Amino acid sequence: MSSYTRRKTPGNTDWFVHDRFGMFIHWGLYSMSARAAWVKKDERMTTEQYSKYFKYFNPDMYDAKEWARRAKEAGMKYAVMTTRHHEGFSMFDTQYSDYKCTNTPAGRDLIREYVDAFRAEGLKIGFYYSLLDWYHQDYTLDKYHPQFNIADGDAFNEGRDMHRYAEFMRNQVRELLTNYGKIDILWLDFSIPPAANDRPCWQAKGAEEWEAEELIKLARSLQPDMIINNRADLEQDIWSPEQYQPMEWVRHQETGELVTWEACQTLAGTYSWCYRRDEGAWKSPEMLIQMLINTVSCGGNLLMNVGPTSRGYLDDHANVALDVYAKWMKYNGRSIYGCTKAEPEFVAPRGCRLTQSEDGKRLYVHMMEYPYKFLEIPGFEGKVDYAQFLHDGSELRIREVEIGHFSEGLTKREKKLVILLPLAKPDMIVPVIELFLK
Ligand code: GLC
């Protein structure tokens, strides 16, 4: 058994740390800008200027079943989709706002289709829900608001009431957690700490302003097992480093305990979460695979984002990247699912990353660099029963040898475990050796 214990949390994270890999989906009116989910803020648009998107939003090619099929093929086991992003537009049929997809040319509940399709493929269902809202008439200014810089901030805030806004959120969250069956993850986003350069009309927003305790109590009462992230400024189940890859298991800030964590990442350059037509910095296939391996080798999950077009399909870039995962995961998923950081007694050889099955019986050596025909693994002597390539189950012979370097008398002869490899690297972006331990 793995010797690592994670800090206890209120939700059920057992399936989550087993499944390891999920799909993030950022889709909303902002997808039409093909620039950024933050376009309203970036370009300081007024709600009036932004209304063009609402008027013309028509995802006529949306096929949630196709997305779900692609996610599943890529080896993803759960998904988290934007039900409402910072722009404040609901992608579901809410009774608490008219600013919703059913009132656009889309004319349908887009979240309903997502839930039905992904659930049918056996994926777990997550809802991203923004705590920020750049549309709601009760939401006050803060430094992330599109109108943050207007001269008369006080006039803007006049009559706005964050209590009413918090109640609105509870109402929507109640709908989301009541009308769509079992929900596995509630992904709240995010809190705004005070800063020295805040103007008086800007309001920092955290647990108090969101009335997070009440919000979360409500969510837990409706979906007791559900996982909730920590972004409402109240510790719950998951830590969520964003566009940042931890290089070690994330620890609790105060107690130092290991925590349940999930890195969220984009397929392309940092910053844009939604479809970005002019994107140039796509991550290479190697990087995509390595990010997943690195994450699991540090005991974490990876939530990889796609940004569908405003017409509702995944573009070629997204599909190519998902195919990269599909090809690799089909053959190597066993080193990811149900795996975690290897026990401390096992130290990865140079250029490799290790994962180990939860029951401790299998160890996986991911060769990020392919060596010559020997892979030396010091410290593994006497521990390995059988070795094979994971992708094709082909035996890899092991030797425990003493290696000398033709300078006898000078060198100490070291006993090492050596795995004999084929000279040519197999056709896998990162080949994996599966070691069955004694
Ligand atoms: C940030 C951004 C938001 C994005 C989220 C994903 O908090 O504000 O646009 O959805 O990260 O992690």
Side-chain angles (χ1 to χ4, degrees):
M1 285 308 283
S2 163
S3 67
Y4 302 111
T5 35
R6 290 173 292 121
R7 182 173 166 88
K8 288 244 169 331
T9 79
N12 172 13
T13 54
D14 290 347
W15 69 266
F16 183 74
V17 298
H18 176 275
D19 287 359
R20 291 298 185 206
F21 189 30
M23 176 183 269
F24 213 178
I25 305 171
H26 274 75
W27 198 40
L29 296 182
Y30 46 78
S31 306
M32 296 171 74
S33 78
R35 300 198 281 284
W38 280 68
V39 66
K40 191 176 183 186
K41 154 82 164 74
D42 293 347
E43 301 178 17
R44 300 184 194 178
M45 283 190 224
T46 61
T47 289
E48 155 94 65
Q49 288 163 335
Y50 201 76
S51 65
K52 59 192 168 190
Y53 300 135
F54 180 82
K55 188 167 170 194
Y56 294 111
F57 183 52
N58 186 12
D60 60 330
M61 295 177 75
Y62 176 38
D63 179 357
K65 290 190 188 132
E66 167 75 5
W67 297 6
R69 195 179 55 71
R70 292 214 142 257
K72 186 179 182 173
E73 263 176 24
M76 292 154 162
K77 298 282 193 185
Y78 62 98
V80 178
M81 173 159 156
T82 48
T83 59
R84 175 173 142 288
H85 202 260
H86 311 331
E87 63 182 0
F89 175 76
S90 297
M91 297 288 279
F92 60 104
D93 191 11
T94 171
Q95 344 165 4
Y96 297 98
S97 171
D98 293 331
Y99 198 49
K100 58 177 176 180
C101 53
T102 42
N103 289 340
T104 66
R108 41 211 256 248
D109 184 332
L110 305 167
I111 288 297
R112 168 88 51 209
E113 293 176 32
Y114 151 74
V115 170
D116 291 347
F118 279 68
R119 197 177 278 143
E121 287 288 1
L123 278 88
K124 296 245 177 1
I125 306 296
F127 285 160
Y128 169 107
Y129 186 81
S130 174
L131 299 164
L132 280 65
D133 193 310
W134 301 332
Y135 179 84
H136 200 278
Q137 61 282 4
D138 280 317
Y139 191 90
T140 56
L141 286 184
D142 52 57
K143 64 181 168 206
Y144 294 127
H145 194 283
Q147 274 69 56
F148 73 107
N149 231 359
I150 55 173
D152 199 350
D154 291 331
F156 183 92
N157 283 339
E158 180 89 31
R160 290 177 181 258
D161 178 348
M162 284 295 289
H163 281 302
R164 276 198 307 248
Y165 174 67
E167 191 185 348
F168 162 74
M169 290 202 290
R170 288 195 294 276
N171 284 332
Q172 284 211 317
V173 164
R174 188 181 307 103
E175 291 180 306
L176 285 167
L177 301 183
T178 308
N179 299 342
Y180 299 89
K182 184 168 176 355
I183 302 305
D184 304 286
I185 301 176
L186 178 62
W187 217 98
L188 302 169
D189 194 36
F190 64 85
S191 297
I192 307 173
N197 60 353
D198 280 350
R199 284 170 52 187
C201 59
W202 295 352
Q203 189 180 15
K205 296 184 175 88
E208 196 184 319
E209 287 71 25
W210 313 132
E211 300 180 7
E213 240 165 87
E214 231 183 299
L215 180 69
I216 283 167
K217 206 166 118 206
L218 170 73
R220 295 247 177 246
S221 73
L222 297 168
Q223 303 272 350
D225 271 355
M226 187 173 63
I227 293 173
I228 306 178
N229 67 357
N230 291 348
R231 291 194 178 193
D233 186 29
L234 205 59
E235 183 185 327
Q236 293 296 310
D237 301 302
I238 46 176
W239 274 248
S240 56
E242 174 181 329
Q243 300 201 8
Y244 182 81
Q245 280 300 120
M247 294 168 93
E248 281 177 45
W249 199 316
V250 179
R251 287 178 181 276
H252 190 267
Q253 302 86 309
E254 276 122 48
T255 67
E257 288 161 285
L258 303 175
V259 299
T260 306
W261 66 273
E262 175 192 63
C264 49
Q265 287 288 357
T266 51
L267 292 174
T270 52
Y271 185 57
S272 183
W273 287 91
C274 74
Y275 173 68
R276 184 155 179 258
R277 185 190 55 215
D278 303 334
E279 179 61 63
W282 294 93
K283 295 189 173 91
S284 67
E286 289 73 21
M287 202 168 161
L288 294 174
I289 298 298
Q290 290 182 2
M291 285 171 96
L292 176 60
I293 296 166
N294 281 331
T295 302
V296 180
S297 76
C298 298
N301 280 37
L302 181 66
L303 185 62
M304 186 50 91
N305 181 68
V306 296
T309 63
S310 74
R311 291 194 66 186
Y313 63 86
L314 296 170
D315 74 337
D316 288 349
H317 285 290
N319 282 328
V320 165
L322 291 172
D323 284 345
V324 166
Y325 280 120
K327 178 172 181 207
W328 192 84
M329 285 297 279
K330 174 173 179 181
Y331 300 101
N332 298 292
R334 214 148 84 198
S335 74
I336 299 293
Y337 306 130
C339 287
T340 188
K341 182 181 159 84
E343 291 297 304
E345 67 182 284
F346 298 112
V347 176
R350 203 191 71 173
C352 299
R353 297 283 187 280
L354 302 179
T355 63
Q356 191 167 5
S357 59
E358 272 288 336
D359 64 9
K361 292 185 179 150
R362 292 167 285 122
L363 193 70
Y364 295 97
V365 185
H366 301 81
M367 287 182 281
M368 312 290 221
E369 284 171 27
Y370 196 76
Y372 181 57
K373 60 187 179 180
F374 308 107
L375 181 72
E376 291 179 11
I377 329 194
F380 283 39
E381 303 80 27
K383 296 180 178 168
V384 176
D385 195 37
Y386 184 74
Q388 62 180 3
F389 267 135
L390 177 55
H391 67 273
D392 65 355
S394 62
E395 179 182 12
L396 292 169
R397 283 173 298 159
I398 31 184
R399 297 278 181 273
E400 290 192 10
V401 290
E402 291 196 347
I403 302 176
H405 296 291
F406 305 107
S407 49
E408 311 313 275
L410 291 176
T411 8
K412 267 206 311 238
R413 289 174 146 256
E414 282 180 279
K415 186 129 173 133
K416 284 185 174 164
L417 183 108
V418 171
I419 299 192
L420 308 186
L421 298 172
L423 251 183
K425 180 187 167 200
D427 180 27
M428 279 290 139
I429 288 178
V430 176
V432 183
I433 300 173
E434 181 172 50
L435 300 177
F436 293 89
L437 301 178
K438 282 186 184 154

